[in-house]
Amino acid sequence: MSTVELTAENFDQTVNDNEFVLIDFWASWCGPCRQFAPVYEKASEKHEDIVFASVDTEAQQQLAAAFDVRSIPTLAIIRDKTLIYAQPGALPEPALEDLIKQAREVDMAEVKRKAAEAEAEQA
């Protein structure tokens, strides 16, 4: 599957309509971003059940700000409409594959239960 360009306009629909979304925050002037792009694209071809999205931080500054992106590339993972990972840095292919494997293994029922508990404590 090719990478989807994520914008403020299509973000909600993309996240709501898909169980598993990887997001690459990048910019055209960023050398590490350009080095990571082929690794990300290759992974998108191997994992057709995952939506691989990219956010041009220059064109989508509000979206980058919403994710508190301070360094690029930054990779974020959303499962079941919940952000479970966000960290800067270009990953080599084996590390990206390992991250995807770990994200698949996350018990989302447990994540949502803990989030609900934390929210209840703050109320």
Side-chain angles (χ1 to χ4, degrees):
M1 172 183 276
S2 63
T3 304
V4 174
E5 185 178 344
L6 212 52
T7 65
E9 291 76 30
N10 69 0
F11 177 83
D12 286 342
Q13 182 176 357
T14 301
V15 169
N16 289 331
D17 291 353
N18 297 284
E19 182 182 319
F20 198 141
V21 182
L22 257 76
I23 307 169
D24 174 27
F25 291 89
W26 67 281
S28 60
W29 51 262
C30 167
C33 298
R34 289 195 305 271
Q35 290 175 324
F36 180 61
V39 172
Y40 192 70
E41 193 63 36
K42 185 175 180 183
S44 77
E45 293 165 7
K46 287 170 70 173
H47 301 278
E48 294 187 6
D49 60 319
I50 300 173
V51 172
F52 284 73
S54 65
V55 174
D56 179 346
T57 57
E58 294 292 309
Q60 298 296 322
Q61 292 179 11
Q62 286 181 312
L63 204 47
F67 278 81
D68 199 27
V69 172
R70 297 177 187 273
S71 178
I72 52 175
T74 287
L75 191 63
I77 300 175
I78 298 174
R79 282 207 38 215
D80 298 337
K81 302 178 192 93
T82 303
L83 179 68
I84 63 169
Y85 177 89
Q87 195 165 325
L91 299 174
E93 184 178 351
L96 179 58
E97 288 298 324
D98 185 54
L99 180 62
I100 291 169
K101 179 180 178 286
Q102 289 180 49
R104 286 187 189 280
E105 294 170 354
V106 169
D107 181 347
M108 291 308 296
E110 179 72 7
V111 169
K112 288 179 185 269
R113 185 184 65 74
K114 285 182 178 178
E117 285 176 3
E119 199 172 295
E121 286 178 15
Q122 291 179 350

